[in-house]
Amino acid sequence: MSIWEYANPVKFMRVSGAMLPWVVASAVLCTAGGIAWGVLTPEDYKQGATVKIVFLHVPAAMMAINIWVMMLAASLIWLIRRHHVSALAAKAAAPVGAVMTLIALVTGAIWGQPMWGTWWEWDPRLTSFLILFLFYAGYIALWSAIEDPDSAADLTGVLCLVGSVFALLSRYAVLFWNQGLHQGASLSVAPGERMSAVYRYPLYLSMLGFFLLFLALLLIRTRTEIRRRRLAALQAREMRA
Amino acid sequence: MLSLLKRDLSLATRAGGGFGLAVAFFLILCALVPFGVGPATTALRPIAPGILWVGALLACLLSLDRIFALDHEDGSLDLLATAPIPLEGVVAVKALAHWITTGLPLVAAAPLFGVLLHLPGSAMPWLVASLLIGTPALSMLGAFGAAITVGLRRGGLLLSLLVLPLYIPTLIFGTEIIRRGAERGDPATPILFLAGITAGVVALVPFAAAAALRVNLR
Amino acid sequence: MRLLAVDHLSVARGGTRAVEGVSFALDAGEALILRGPNGIGKTTLLRTVAGLQLPVAGRISMADDAVAYAAHADGLKAALTVTENLRFWAEIFGGGQIGAALAAMDLVSLADRPAAALSAGQKRRLGLARLLVTRRPLWVLDEPTVSLDDVSVGRFAAAVRAHLGAGGAALMATHIDLGLAEARVLDLTPYRAVEGGVADPASFNEAFA
């Protein structure tokens, strides 16, 4: 049995329907558990209680990037193998990714205010996330602007491909651009780097939670899109009959 | 291919073609900035490279939707798609025509606007060089955006939203060249990066744009 | 010589299947007129044959670069003169004599006029003159006689006949009688798509139905 069989809408609906309650339950458990555990950790001797926002910030940032990569993979599958579910999964993932990017940016700003004394800093990492958010916005806007679903799937797929290349290019161009302005590394706290186990394990749990949360949202949203398509097709048949 | 270029150029220079509008827009932008930040050299000089490049970006953006929309409306695009030249070639030629009618005049007029913004003389050659190297990428990426939005009724705003993020790397390296030129630094590295981006864009983006056009034609 | 063979072709418009299972062939010197009620999919079928659209099912076999397509929009630039417009398309298609094409469509006296100053019928004639300079053997025409007067229709029919005589072929959708006695007529009505005909989904949405 090949993995492509799950691209069959009927099969996808059946399997995802059976998976959904478990995914949702474990997503809620892991996210809530990770954040609660994170809140209960001792305060950092330098950063105080503000450090606890890391349990929202880092998982959201991680998912923001991973969701775009997932959309790229799904777009490629649609463009090459023409599996309709794949195109819809890319569409369904985009708003989740945009929100994750937004969460990363907002929590970063809230964290940065007491730490750096400013809400916003044109640090390469922050700037890259702002650019990523712009790409999400363009992608979502293009999906909603095109009426014909086939064209929409094709054109957003092409945009995702080209956008990925330029998002990556921008990431490195931004590093170049920031040289000479200030050193970036001292401002950002790399995940896992010199972080004590007290913080690390709740962070891992929270990251797992965010991943499961994305999976749950992706399944729900893809199922909704599939149902919407089915409805549109049935209505079209009705009109013709 | 040459006849397509000839036609697009003569259409741009005739009545209603909009030739020179980009330069006029560029001029207005450069004239407005001092009203915003004040006339002092100390205020203008540091931001001049950025203003000049952002101005070029926006001036280029203005005429992007014309690249394919007019040909789509009057049916020329359908006929070009059935013509013996490949659609990738059509895209490349139309982007080239757009560059000649908007990018090249900007390159030529840029030193004048550099003077308006108190850009030091040592940076002028680098201003021209950076625009000369960078603007072809702007036209080509713009053609890609125009190809994606050609079938849409209100594609103009969406076009900006799609294209401007793609301009970021070009903008970063373009301004860096001028900045280093102004500070008498060595602009070789950003020039190489910018040239690399332009070369890659000109070589590969026509394929993506032609694919988008085919989708929009059917 | 066979110029076009269409085999069990199904086409879709806006996500719904229009006609399906259409088969026909065109040899050199033949003309085929498609008929059928509005909305059955004549335009879609012609665009598919011209290669502007992908068929949902079935096969279209013909030589590369054989089609000259003409539809409702003539692809004219208002700022260019009649000659300039025509010369452009002649150069793009690597093609034929502009003078002869202008004469065939009675445009010689208008040659230096900008296309913006042409009437609807004159524009149409210029659009049809374009076919003559493409030197393509297979003409695919969608309502070619719209806004033409009787004399011009006669002129157009003569041009088509000359094209057929020179070894070309023509596939067209039209409602009026062109006086082309040799043209075959294919009524598309029996090919109207019915429910559950073919397994392949015609469109994105139907893939989920």
Side-chain angles (χ1 to χ4, degrees), chain B residues 113-177:
Chain B
F113 302 141
V115 171
L116 286 183
L117 295 177
H118 296 285
L119 195 70
S122 62
M124 287 300 175
W126 300 115
L127 169 65
V128 175
S130 71
L131 284 173
L132 196 63
I133 300 171
T135 44
L138 300 187
S139 290
M140 195 64 244
L141 287 171
F144 168 69
I148 279 195
T149 55
V150 71
L152 300 175
R153 262 165 284 125
R154 280 170 311 190
L157 202 60
L158 183 63
L159 178 62
S160 319
L161 184 59
L162 298 185
V163 164
L164 282 177
L166 301 180
Y167 282 174
I168 291 171
T170 306
L171 176 65
I172 288 176
F173 293 118
T175 47
E176 189 65 24
I177 292 173

Side-chain angles (χ1 to χ4, degrees), chain A residues 16 64 161 176 200 202 204 212:
Chain A
S16 63
L161 234 69
F176 181 88
R200 213 161 55 225
Y204 288 156
L212 288 170

Side-chain angles (χ1 to χ4, degrees), chain A residues 22-36 205-206 208-209 212-213:
Chain A
W22 302 99
V23 177
V24 170
S26 49
V28 170
L29 272 176
C30 290
T31 312
I35 291 172
L205 186 62
S206 175
L208 179 67
L212 288 170
L213 193 63

Side-chain angles (χ1 to χ4, degrees), chain B residues 1 3-4 6-7 10-11 14-15 70-71 73-85 214 217-218, chain C residues 47 50 52-54 65 67 69-71 73-77 79-81 84 88-89 91-94 130 136:
Chain B
M1 299 261 246
S3 40
L4 179 60
K6 241 164 49 192
R7 181 193 73 152
S10 63
L11 280 176
R14 286 192 194 183
L70 297 179
D71 277 345
E73 274 164 28
D74 65 18
S76 300
L77 210 53
D78 281 349
L79 303 177
L80 284 171
T82 60
I85 45 177
R214 284 200 189 91
L217 282 179
R218 71 182 184 213
Chain C
R47 285 182 69 86
L52 293 168
Q53 218 175 325
L54 292 174
D65 289 343
V67 170
Y69 174 72
D74 290 311
L76 302 177
K77 291 295 173 194
L80 300 181
T81 67
E84 283 171 327
F88 167 67
W89 289 114
E91 284 169 2
I92 288 290
F93 281 86
R130 183 181 53 80
R136 292 270 176 98

